[in-house]
Amino acid sequence: MGKFGVTEILLILAVVLLLFGGKKIPELMKGLGKGIKEFKDASKGEGEKAEEKK
């Protein structure tokens, strides 16, 4: 298991495009972005709550 090259990345992108189709990919990326944002907000909130208790 080495580093990914350009060929491997293009092959993975082609498989994803075939599986999900062009219309579903923006929806998947939007959902992924929302999930990451919620995770960051939650982790910030937990850190702030822990600091307030001290």
Side-chain angles (χ1 to χ4, degrees), residues 10-38:
L10 290 175
L11 182 64
I12 291 169
L13 290 175
V15 170
V16 168
L17 184 61
L18 288 172
L19 289 176
F20 296 109
K23 294 181 181 179
K24 290 285 185 182
I25 293 177
E27 293 175 18
L28 291 172
M29 295 299 114
K30 189 176 184 180
L32 181 64
K34 283 183 181 180
I36 291 172
K37 184 179 181 214
E38 288 178 9

